[in-house]
Amino acid sequence: MEGLFGRAKKIGEVIDQKIRENKNMMIVGHLDADGITSASIIAKAILRKGGRFIVRITNSLRPKTLLDLKEGEYDFYIFCELGAGMAKQIDEAFGGRWVAMDHHQISEDEKGLENIVNAWQFDFDGTREVSAAGISYIVASKMDKDNTDLSCLAVVGALGDRQDQGEGGSMLELNKIIINDAIKSGCLRVVKDLMLYGRETKPIHEAVASTITPFIPSLTGNRDACLATLTSAGIRLKEGARWRTIAELSEEERKKVVEAIIPYLTLAPTATDKVRELIGDVYIMEREDEYTPLKDAREFATLLNACGRMGRGGVGVLICLGDRNLALQEGERIITDYRYTLNNYVQTILSEEGRVVGGSWSFMIVGDGLVDENMLGSLSSILSGMTRFEGKAIILRTATKDGDISFSARKTKGCKPNLNLGSIMAEASRFDGVGGGHDVAAGARIASHRQVEFLKVIEDRLRQANEDESNDIDQTQE
Ligand code: C5P
């Protein structure tokens, strides 16, 4: 902890120095909720000290992106949730004029760099214990102790990266400390409740229909079926002409909702786990208005993710910086389009022949001609929660606009614990590509003519991980 806090303080001092020198800074954030909150936390900390900056949200740092960024001729660059595995190229482009905040796995060489603050450098598990937004928050809190209110955005970032992996949707280690800061600063409350999407904002049947974790067969994405199911279970869905929300339900009514959903979940072999996924810690943003998608921190994260993935990351940043007028209205429109698009992808993938190819250790899912490259991660996360894909890794691919192939990989329930998709993707992308990520969620982008070699490495490594695990079990039994 001391090491991480010390490094965060030093990086904060570097940024402070640039503010004092009136340098023009570019903050570059990854396009998901964690990247957007991570970039926004640093932006807000700089803004509060009167510094100069712009924020850019981007998909990945490829050599081409670095050239683009360089054209802007900024004095200093701050990378948020980006740059793992790219330190050498970034240095070539910007010399010593950059710092990075991240939680992705990095090589031993990169761990030695002092202008990076990354969870793994200090033996924190960046997949589960702290997000990039958490790291940015620690830097911001070292820049000024009055930045503790930014802890709320760090909670949103961690939820966006599904770091609520403790019992009942709780968070672990450093994230717990950040949650405590948020509670103490009066911007967060944590309660046990139904973890349905839109508990503050949506009519109850729509909240059930919008829930993708867990994926509820026949109900997720099907508003009419949800309305019929909840009505026949005797749940009062309206107050006069107004639809009620999950947040308004009594204890008794909440139980009724769970009982109505259970029969759909029990179609799955892992039904007990799925039912457990329905109830847990709900993170309420105390300073946000009721009935907005920002009130529930998970919904806030989904909104930011939607903005980033639909190519509107700037709207997400404005919301994080405090715009509750035009940016929020725009964000609400974006999320409607985003949900519609994702639902369409899921239905098409599941119904069109040839889109799902089952192998020994993975499902290869073909999104070519259907899935936008920026939406890959959101789609693979949804697919990874579906019972029919359990036990094998999901490798989702799509052809990109400039002729490459982009991959998004996810572990599913029942995958071997030793399987590390992040290192597999990093290794396989040595063929004209970039790739990496976490053990449970990773991605890569490669030149299309290197696909055969790429897939061979993936297949070999998946087989190895599965065989190693069986050997371990054999030896334990002996
Ligand atoms: O895009 P997706 O959500 O699948 O990405 C999963 C993880 O893999 C993210 O943490 C992302 O930063 C990482 N990734 C990467 N290189 C890529 C694509 C994704 O490191 N080319």
Side-chain angles (χ1 to χ4, degrees), residues 380-422:
S380 65
S381 292
I382 294 176
L383 297 173
S384 69
M386 297 176 71
T387 313
R388 62 183 285 174
F389 297 122
E390 279 177 9
K392 293 180 191 174
I394 284 185
I395 316 280
L396 169 65
R397 57 162 279 168
T398 199
T400 70
K401 288 187 195 86
D402 41 12
D404 292 340
I405 304 180
S406 205
F407 290 88
S408 174
R410 294 288 182 273
K411 277 173 90 164
T412 62
K413 193 165 270 175
C415 274
K416 304 293 180 206
N418 63 336
L419 177 62
N420 186 335
L421 293 175

mmCIF file of all heavy atoms in Angstrom, residues 380-422:
data_model
loop_
_atom_site.group_PDB
_atom_site.id
_atom_site.type_symbol
_atom_site.label_atom_id
_atom_site.label_comp_id
_atom_site.label_asym_id
_atom_site.label_seq_id
_atom_site.Cartn_x
_atom_site.Cartn_y
_atom_site.Cartn_z
ATOM 1 N N SER A 380 -19.376 -9.476 -25.700
ATOM 2 C CA SER A 380 -18.787 -10.711 -25.166
ATOM 3 C C SER A 380 -19.103 -10.838 -23.673
ATOM 4 O O SER A 380 -19.290 -11.939 -23.168
ATOM 5 C CB SER A 380 -17.284 -10.795 -25.448
ATOM 6 O OG SER A 380 -16.607 -9.789 -24.779
ATOM 7 N N SER A 381 -19.206 -9.709 -22.966
ATOM 8 C CA SER A 381 -19.576 -9.790 -21.545
ATOM 9 C C SER A 381 -20.985 -10.367 -21.384
ATOM 10 O O SER A 381 -21.228 -11.182 -20.496
ATOM 11 C CB SER A 381 -19.532 -8.410 -20.887
ATOM 12 O OG SER A 381 -18.208 -7.967 -20.828
ATOM 13 N N ILE A 382 -21.902 -9.933 -22.237
ATOM 14 C CA ILE A 382 -23.273 -10.464 -22.146
ATOM 15 C C ILE A 382 -23.271 -11.957 -22.453
ATOM 16 O O ILE A 382 -23.837 -12.766 -21.723
ATOM 17 C CB ILE A 382 -24.209 -9.745 -23.145
ATOM 18 C CG1 ILE A 382 -24.365 -8.290 -22.748
ATOM 19 C CG2 ILE A 382 -25.569 -10.433 -23.216
ATOM 20 C CD1 ILE A 382 -25.189 -7.480 -23.716
ATOM 21 N N LEU A 383 -22.595 -12.334 -23.539
ATOM 22 C CA LEU A 383 -22.597 -13.745 -23.944
ATOM 23 C C LEU A 383 -21.973 -14.615 -22.849
ATOM 24 O O LEU A 383 -22.425 -15.734 -22.596
ATOM 25 C CB LEU A 383 -21.830 -13.922 -25.261
ATOM 26 C CG LEU A 383 -22.437 -13.195 -26.475
ATOM 27 C CD1 LEU A 383 -21.507 -13.298 -27.687
ATOM 28 C CD2 LEU A 383 -23.815 -13.749 -26.843
ATOM 29 N N SER A 384 -20.957 -14.059 -22.161
ATOM 30 C CA SER A 384 -20.265 -14.876 -21.152
ATOM 31 C C SER A 384 -21.157 -15.171 -19.947
ATOM 32 O O SER A 384 -20.867 -16.065 -19.163
ATOM 33 C CB SER A 384 -18.974 -14.198 -20.692
ATOM 34 O OG SER A 384 -19.290 -13.044 -19.951
ATOM 35 N N GLY A 385 -22.247 -14.421 -19.790
ATOM 36 C CA GLY A 385 -23.160 -14.686 -18.673
ATOM 37 C C GLY A 385 -24.239 -15.693 -19.038
ATOM 38 O O GLY A 385 -25.079 -16.040 -18.215
ATOM 39 N N MET A 386 -24.248 -16.167 -20.287
ATOM 40 C CA MET A 386 -25.326 -17.062 -20.720
ATOM 41 C C MET A 386 -24.957 -18.521 -20.461
ATOM 42 O O MET A 386 -23.853 -18.966 -20.752
ATOM 43 C CB MET A 386 -25.616 -16.842 -22.206
ATOM 44 C CG MET A 386 -26.117 -15.428 -22.454
ATOM 45 S SD MET A 386 -26.384 -15.050 -24.183
ATOM 46 C CE MET A 386 -27.820 -16.028 -24.487
ATOM 47 N N THR A 387 -25.942 -19.241 -19.923
ATOM 48 C CA THR A 387 -25.714 -20.633 -19.513
ATOM 49 C C THR A 387 -25.159 -21.491 -20.643
ATOM 50 O O THR A 387 -24.295 -22.337 -20.418
ATOM 51 C CB THR A 387 -27.052 -21.228 -19.036
ATOM 52 O OG1 THR A 387 -27.632 -20.282 -18.158
ATOM 53 C CG2 THR A 387 -26.852 -22.540 -18.326
ATOM 54 N N ARG A 388 -25.641 -21.276 -21.866
ATOM 55 C CA ARG A 388 -25.241 -22.175 -22.959
ATOM 56 C C ARG A 388 -23.749 -22.094 -23.285
ATOM 57 O O ARG A 388 -23.205 -22.981 -23.939
ATOM 58 C CB ARG A 388 -26.068 -21.901 -24.219
ATOM 59 C CG ARG A 388 -25.872 -20.511 -24.765
ATOM 60 C CD ARG A 388 -26.757 -20.253 -25.946
ATOM 61 N NE ARG A 388 -26.277 -20.923 -27.148
ATOM 62 C CZ ARG A 388 -26.940 -20.951 -28.287
ATOM 63 N NH1 ARG A 388 -28.119 -20.375 -28.363
ATOM 64 N NH2 ARG A 388 -26.442 -21.547 -29.330
ATOM 65 N N PHE A 389 -23.060 -21.034 -22.816
ATOM 66 C CA PHE A 389 -21.626 -20.926 -23.113
ATOM 67 C C PHE A 389 -20.741 -21.302 -21.920
ATOM 68 O O PHE A 389 -19.517 -21.180 -21.991
ATOM 69 C CB PHE A 389 -21.293 -19.498 -23.570
ATOM 70 C CG PHE A 389 -21.980 -19.118 -24.852
ATOM 71 C CD1 PHE A 389 -22.822 -18.019 -24.924
ATOM 72 C CD2 PHE A 389 -21.798 -19.891 -26.004
ATOM 73 C CE1 PHE A 389 -23.464 -17.683 -26.109
ATOM 74 C CE2 PHE A 389 -22.442 -19.556 -27.193
ATOM 75 C CZ PHE A 389 -23.276 -18.455 -27.247
ATOM 76 N N GLU A 390 -21.380 -21.759 -20.828
ATOM 77 C CA GLU A 390 -20.583 -22.031 -19.624
ATOM 78 C C GLU A 390 -19.573 -23.149 -19.828
ATOM 79 O O GLU A 390 -19.819 -24.088 -20.586
ATOM 80 C CB GLU A 390 -21.511 -22.369 -18.451
ATOM 81 C CG GLU A 390 -22.060 -21.091 -17.845
ATOM 82 C CD GLU A 390 -23.050 -21.322 -16.720
ATOM 83 O OE1 GLU A 390 -23.206 -22.468 -16.263
ATOM 84 O OE2 GLU A 390 -23.675 -20.332 -16.308
ATOM 85 N N GLY A 391 -18.429 -23.040 -19.164
ATOM 86 C CA GLY A 391 -17.423 -24.113 -19.170
ATOM 87 C C GLY A 391 -16.311 -23.906 -20.188
ATOM 88 O O GLY A 391 -15.264 -24.528 -20.096
ATOM 89 N N LYS A 392 -16.554 -23.048 -21.194
ATOM 90 C CA LYS A 392 -15.514 -22.794 -22.200
ATOM 91 C C LYS A 392 -15.311 -21.290 -22.341
ATOM 92 O O LYS A 392 -16.234 -20.509 -22.056
ATOM 93 C CB LYS A 392 -15.931 -23.343 -23.565
ATOM 94 C CG LYS A 392 -16.018 -24.851 -23.620
ATOM 95 C CD LYS A 392 -16.430 -25.296 -25.010
ATOM 96 C CE LYS A 392 -16.779 -26.780 -24.992
ATOM 97 N NZ LYS A 392 -17.312 -27.239 -26.267
ATOM 98 N N ALA A 393 -14.121 -20.907 -22.811
ATOM 99 C CA ALA A 393 -13.870 -19.478 -23.021
ATOM 100 C C ALA A 393 -14.652 -19.004 -24.251
ATOM 101 O O ALA A 393 -14.916 -19.785 -25.169
ATOM 102 C CB ALA A 393 -12.385 -19.248 -23.242
ATOM 103 N N ILE A 394 -14.997 -17.731 -24.240
ATOM 104 C CA ILE A 394 -15.654 -17.139 -25.417
ATOM 105 C C ILE A 394 -14.627 -16.294 -26.160
ATOM 106 O O ILE A 394 -13.952 -15.449 -25.565
ATOM 107 C CB ILE A 394 -16.821 -16.252 -24.965
ATOM 108 C CG1 ILE A 394 -17.985 -17.147 -24.562
ATOM 109 C CG2 ILE A 394 -17.240 -15.285 -26.059
ATOM 110 C CD1 ILE A 394 -19.218 -16.392 -24.209
ATOM 111 N N ILE A 395 -14.482 -16.549 -27.450
ATOM 112 C CA ILE A 395 -13.597 -15.712 -28.278
ATOM 113 C C ILE A 395 -14.486 -15.109 -29.367
ATOM 114 O O ILE A 395 -14.903 -15.799 -30.299
ATOM 115 C CB ILE A 395 -12.477 -16.546 -28.953
ATOM 116 C CG1 ILE A 395 -11.833 -17.563 -27.991
ATOM 117 C CG2 ILE A 395 -11.445 -15.627 -29.622
ATOM 118 C CD1 ILE A 395 -10.798 -17.012 -27.053
ATOM 119 N N LEU A 396 -14.798 -13.836 -29.203
ATOM 120 C CA LEU A 396 -15.687 -13.154 -30.158
ATOM 121 C C LEU A 396 -14.818 -12.336 -31.114
ATOM 122 O O LEU A 396 -13.904 -11.645 -30.672
ATOM 123 C CB LEU A 396 -16.631 -12.242 -29.366
ATOM 124 C CG LEU A 396 -17.467 -11.236 -30.133
ATOM 125 C CD1 LEU A 396 -18.460 -11.927 -31.050
ATOM 126 C CD2 LEU A 396 -18.219 -10.318 -29.161
ATOM 127 N N ARG A 397 -15.106 -12.421 -32.406
ATOM 128 C CA ARG A 397 -14.299 -11.670 -33.363
ATOM 129 C C ARG A 397 -15.150 -10.803 -34.288
ATOM 130 O O ARG A 397 -16.334 -11.079 -34.481
ATOM 131 C CB ARG A 397 -13.452 -12.614 -34.222
ATOM 132 C CG ARG A 397 -14.276 -13.661 -34.975
ATOM 133 C CD ARG A 397 -13.517 -14.264 -36.115
ATOM 134 N NE ARG A 397 -13.552 -13.397 -37.281
ATOM 135 C CZ ARG A 397 -12.781 -13.558 -38.350
ATOM 136 N NH1 ARG A 397 -11.911 -14.529 -38.389
ATOM 137 N NH2 ARG A 397 -12.894 -12.756 -39.384
ATOM 138 N N THR A 398 -14.551 -9.768 -34.800
ATOM 139 C CA THR A 398 -15.210 -9.033 -35.869
ATOM 140 C C THR A 398 -14.145 -8.373 -36.756
ATOM 141 O O THR A 398 -13.033 -8.099 -36.301
ATOM 142 C CB THR A 398 -16.194 -7.965 -35.323
ATOM 143 O OG1 THR A 398 -17.106 -7.602 -36.363
ATOM 144 C CG2 THR A 398 -15.515 -6.691 -34.846
ATOM 145 N N ALA A 399 -14.508 -8.156 -38.026
ATOM 146 C CA ALA A 399 -13.584 -7.469 -38.946
ATOM 147 C C ALA A 399 -13.698 -5.973 -38.680
ATOM 148 O O ALA A 399 -14.802 -5.453 -38.508
ATOM 149 C CB ALA A 399 -13.991 -7.787 -40.382
ATOM 150 N N THR A 400 -12.568 -5.275 -38.600
ATOM 151 C CA THR A 400 -12.613 -3.838 -38.305
ATOM 152 C C THR A 400 -12.690 -3.040 -39.608
ATOM 153 O O THR A 400 -12.459 -3.586 -40.694
ATOM 154 C CB THR A 400 -11.357 -3.376 -37.544
ATOM 155 O OG1 THR A 400 -10.248 -3.433 -38.445
ATOM 156 C CG2 THR A 400 -11.072 -4.237 -36.341
ATOM 157 N N LYS A 401 -12.945 -1.733 -39.452
ATOM 158 C CA LYS A 401 -13.097 -0.872 -40.630
ATOM 159 C C LYS A 401 -11.820 -0.820 -41.457
ATOM 160 O O LYS A 401 -11.854 -0.737 -42.669
ATOM 161 C CB LYS A 401 -13.472 0.552 -40.193
ATOM 162 C CG LYS A 401 -14.889 0.642 -39.679
ATOM 163 C CD LYS A 401 -15.277 2.101 -39.424
ATOM 164 C CE LYS A 401 -16.525 2.168 -38.572
ATOM 165 N NZ LYS A 401 -16.228 2.108 -37.118
ATOM 166 N N ASP A 402 -10.637 -0.883 -40.772
ATOM 167 C CA ASP A 402 -9.415 -0.787 -41.579
ATOM 168 C C ASP A 402 -8.779 -2.146 -41.882
ATOM 169 O O ASP A 402 -7.555 -2.257 -42.061
ATOM 170 C CB ASP A 402 -8.399 0.216 -41.002
ATOM 171 C CG ASP A 402 -8.290 0.138 -39.505
ATOM 172 O OD1 ASP A 402 -8.821 -0.835 -38.960
ATOM 173 O OD2 ASP A 402 -7.678 1.033 -38.906
ATOM 174 N N GLY A 403 -9.611 -3.185 -41.900
ATOM 175 C CA GLY A 403 -9.161 -4.465 -42.431
ATOM 176 C C GLY A 403 -8.464 -5.395 -41.443
ATOM 177 O O GLY A 403 -8.001 -6.464 -41.816
ATOM 178 N N ASP A 404 -8.367 -4.994 -40.170
ATOM 179 C CA ASP A 404 -7.812 -5.900 -39.150
ATOM 180 C C ASP A 404 -8.933 -6.795 -38.607
ATOM 181 O O ASP A 404 -10.097 -6.656 -38.990
ATOM 182 C CB ASP A 404 -7.240 -5.094 -37.978
ATOM 183 C CG ASP A 404 -6.001 -4.307 -38.373
ATOM 184 O OD1 ASP A 404 -5.384 -4.658 -39.392
ATOM 185 O OD2 ASP A 404 -5.669 -3.343 -37.662
ATOM 186 N N ILE A 405 -8.528 -7.668 -37.669
ATOM 187 C CA ILE A 405 -9.562 -8.430 -36.956
ATOM 188 C C ILE A 405 -9.423 -8.111 -35.473
ATOM 189 O O ILE A 405 -8.322 -8.106 -34.919
ATOM 190 C CB ILE A 405 -9.404 -9.941 -37.165
ATOM 191 C CG1 ILE A 405 -9.407 -10.237 -38.657
ATOM 192 C CG2 ILE A 405 -10.558 -10.692 -36.501
ATOM 193 C CD1 ILE A 405 -9.251 -11.681 -38.964
ATOM 194 N N SER A 406 -10.556 -7.813 -34.863
ATOM 195 C CA SER A 406 -10.552 -7.482 -33.445
ATOM 196 C C SER A 406 -11.184 -8.633 -32.677
ATOM 197 O O SER A 406 -12.187 -9.212 -33.127
ATOM 198 C CB SER A 406 -11.368 -6.205 -33.271
ATOM 199 O OG SER A 406 -10.970 -5.551 -32.127
ATOM 200 N N PHE A 407 -10.586 -8.975 -31.519
ATOM 201 C CA PHE A 407 -11.083 -10.101 -30.713
ATOM 202 C C PHE A 407 -11.414 -9.634 -29.296
ATOM 203 O O PHE A 407 -10.712 -8.783 -28.742
ATOM 204 C CB PHE A 407 -10.009 -11.192 -30.593
ATOM 205 C CG PHE A 407 -9.751 -11.934 -31.871
ATOM 206 C CD1 PHE A 407 -8.817 -11.448 -32.781
ATOM 207 C CD2 PHE A 407 -10.439 -13.094 -32.179
ATOM 208 C CE1 PHE A 407 -8.567 -12.111 -33.967
ATOM 209 C CE2 PHE A 407 -10.203 -13.767 -33.370
ATOM 210 C CZ PHE A 407 -9.259 -13.272 -34.266
ATOM 211 N N SER A 408 -12.451 -10.212 -28.736
ATOM 212 C CA SER A 408 -12.757 -9.972 -27.327
ATOM 213 C C SER A 408 -12.970 -11.334 -26.684
ATOM 214 O O SER A 408 -13.793 -12.127 -27.161
ATOM 215 C CB SER A 408 -14.022 -9.119 -27.208
ATOM 216 O OG SER A 408 -14.377 -9.012 -25.859
ATOM 217 N N ALA A 409 -12.225 -11.619 -25.616
ATOM 218 C CA ALA A 409 -12.291 -12.950 -25.002
ATOM 219 C C ALA A 409 -12.800 -12.844 -23.573
ATOM 220 O O ALA A 409 -12.488 -11.887 -22.870
ATOM 221 C CB ALA A 409 -10.900 -13.573 -25.019
ATOM 222 N N ARG A 410 -13.602 -13.814 -23.146
ATOM 223 C CA ARG A 410 -14.112 -13.834 -21.779
ATOM 224 C C ARG A 410 -14.058 -15.252 -21.225
ATOM 225 O O ARG A 410 -14.349 -16.220 -21.937
ATOM 226 C CB ARG A 410 -15.585 -13.391 -21.713
ATOM 227 C CG ARG A 410 -15.845 -11.949 -22.086
ATOM 228 C CD ARG A 410 -15.356 -10.993 -21.020
ATOM 229 N NE ARG A 410 -15.657 -9.616 -21.353
ATOM 230 C CZ ARG A 410 -14.884 -8.823 -22.095
ATOM 231 N NH1 ARG A 410 -13.752 -9.280 -22.584
ATOM 232 N NH2 ARG A 410 -15.223 -7.572 -22.329
ATOM 233 N N LYS A 411 -13.725 -15.357 -19.929
ATOM 234 C CA LYS A 411 -13.908 -16.636 -19.250
ATOM 235 C C LYS A 411 -15.388 -16.743 -18.891
ATOM 236 O O LYS A 411 -16.047 -15.720 -18.687
ATOM 237 C CB LYS A 411 -13.074 -16.667 -17.963
ATOM 238 C CG LYS A 411 -11.628 -17.038 -18.204
ATOM 239 C CD LYS A 411 -10.797 -16.900 -16.967
ATOM 240 C CE LYS A 411 -10.756 -18.160 -16.131
ATOM 241 N NZ LYS A 411 -9.633 -18.110 -15.135
ATOM 242 N N THR A 412 -15.897 -17.946 -18.836
ATOM 243 C CA THR A 412 -17.276 -18.128 -18.393
ATOM 244 C C THR A 412 -17.239 -18.936 -17.103
ATOM 245 O O THR A 412 -16.182 -19.434 -16.717
ATOM 246 C CB THR A 412 -18.096 -18.921 -19.435
ATOM 247 O OG1 THR A 412 -17.487 -20.215 -19.549
ATOM 248 C CG2 THR A 412 -18.109 -18.228 -20.784
ATOM 249 N N LYS A 413 -18.395 -19.077 -16.475
ATOM 250 C CA LYS A 413 -18.470 -19.895 -15.264
ATOM 251 C C LYS A 413 -18.008 -21.310 -15.613
ATOM 252 O O LYS A 413 -18.383 -21.837 -16.658
ATOM 253 C CB LYS A 413 -19.924 -19.912 -14.784
ATOM 254 C CG LYS A 413 -20.074 -20.460 -13.406
ATOM 255 C CD LYS A 413 -21.433 -20.120 -12.853
ATOM 256 C CE LYS A 413 -21.323 -18.809 -12.143
ATOM 257 N NZ LYS A 413 -22.261 -18.114 -11.599
ATOM 258 N N GLY A 414 -17.167 -21.892 -14.778
ATOM 259 C CA GLY A 414 -16.725 -23.271 -15.034
ATOM 260 C C GLY A 414 -15.408 -23.344 -15.792
ATOM 261 O O GLY A 414 -14.855 -24.419 -15.968
ATOM 262 N N CYS A 415 -14.871 -22.209 -16.253
ATOM 263 C CA CYS A 415 -13.543 -22.235 -16.894
ATOM 264 C C CYS A 415 -12.488 -22.510 -15.820
ATOM 265 O O CYS A 415 -12.680 -22.181 -14.659
ATOM 266 C CB CYS A 415 -13.233 -20.878 -17.532
ATOM 267 S SG CYS A 415 -13.869 -20.709 -19.189
ATOM 268 N N LYS A 416 -11.360 -23.081 -16.249
ATOM 269 C CA LYS A 416 -10.312 -23.427 -15.285
ATOM 270 C C LYS A 416 -9.754 -22.161 -14.622
ATOM 271 O O LYS A 416 -9.479 -21.172 -15.308
ATOM 272 C CB LYS A 416 -9.148 -24.141 -15.997
ATOM 273 C CG LYS A 416 -9.579 -25.373 -16.769
ATOM 274 C CD LYS A 416 -10.046 -26.461 -15.848
ATOM 275 C CE LYS A 416 -10.468 -27.693 -16.627
ATOM 276 N NZ LYS A 416 -11.455 -28.510 -15.911
ATOM 277 N N PRO A 417 -9.535 -22.215 -13.305
ATOM 278 C CA PRO A 417 -9.040 -21.022 -12.606
ATOM 279 C C PRO A 417 -7.682 -20.544 -13.110
ATOM 280 O O PRO A 417 -7.385 -19.359 -13.080
ATOM 281 C CB PRO A 417 -8.914 -21.479 -11.141
ATOM 282 C CG PRO A 417 -9.648 -22.767 -11.035
ATOM 283 C CD PRO A 417 -9.792 -23.345 -12.407
ATOM 284 N N ASN A 418 -6.836 -21.477 -13.581
ATOM 285 C CA ASN A 418 -5.491 -21.063 -14.006
ATOM 286 C C ASN A 418 -5.461 -20.444 -15.405
ATOM 287 O O ASN A 418 -4.422 -19.998 -15.866
ATOM 288 C CB ASN A 418 -4.522 -22.250 -13.963
ATOM 289 C CG ASN A 418 -4.940 -23.340 -14.933
ATOM 290 O OD1 ASN A 418 -6.124 -23.414 -15.275
ATOM 291 N ND2 ASN A 418 -4.017 -24.150 -15.393
ATOM 292 N N LEU A 419 -6.605 -20.440 -16.066
ATOM 293 C CA LEU A 419 -6.651 -19.881 -17.424
ATOM 294 C C LEU A 419 -6.513 -18.355 -17.363
ATOM 295 O O LEU A 419 -7.301 -17.694 -16.688
ATOM 296 C CB LEU A 419 -7.993 -20.272 -18.068
ATOM 297 C CG LEU A 419 -8.278 -19.723 -19.455
ATOM 298 C CD1 LEU A 419 -7.251 -20.217 -20.455
ATOM 299 C CD2 LEU A 419 -9.688 -20.135 -19.898
ATOM 300 N N ASN A 420 -5.487 -17.812 -18.028
ATOM 301 C CA ASN A 420 -5.266 -16.363 -18.011
ATOM 302 C C ASN A 420 -5.370 -15.821 -19.437
ATOM 303 O O ASN A 420 -4.420 -15.863 -20.217
ATOM 304 C CB ASN A 420 -3.891 -16.063 -17.410
ATOM 305 C CG ASN A 420 -3.669 -14.565 -17.245
ATOM 306 O OD1 ASN A 420 -4.261 -13.749 -17.949
ATOM 307 N ND2 ASN A 420 -2.811 -14.212 -16.311
ATOM 308 N N LEU A 421 -6.563 -15.320 -19.771
ATOM 309 C CA LEU A 421 -6.800 -14.867 -21.144
ATOM 310 C C LEU A 421 -5.935 -13.656 -21.495
ATOM 311 O O LEU A 421 -5.509 -13.508 -22.637
ATOM 312 C CB LEU A 421 -8.283 -14.519 -21.324
ATOM 313 C CG LEU A 421 -9.263 -15.696 -21.243
ATOM 314 C CD1 LEU A 421 -10.701 -15.191 -21.305
ATOM 315 C CD2 LEU A 421 -9.018 -16.700 -22.365
ATOM 316 N N GLY A 422 -5.647 -12.810 -20.491
ATOM 317 C CA GLY A 422 -4.826 -11.613 -20.748
ATOM 318 C C GLY A 422 -3.459 -11.999 -21.289
ATOM 319 O O GLY A 422 -3.005 -11.469 -22.314
#
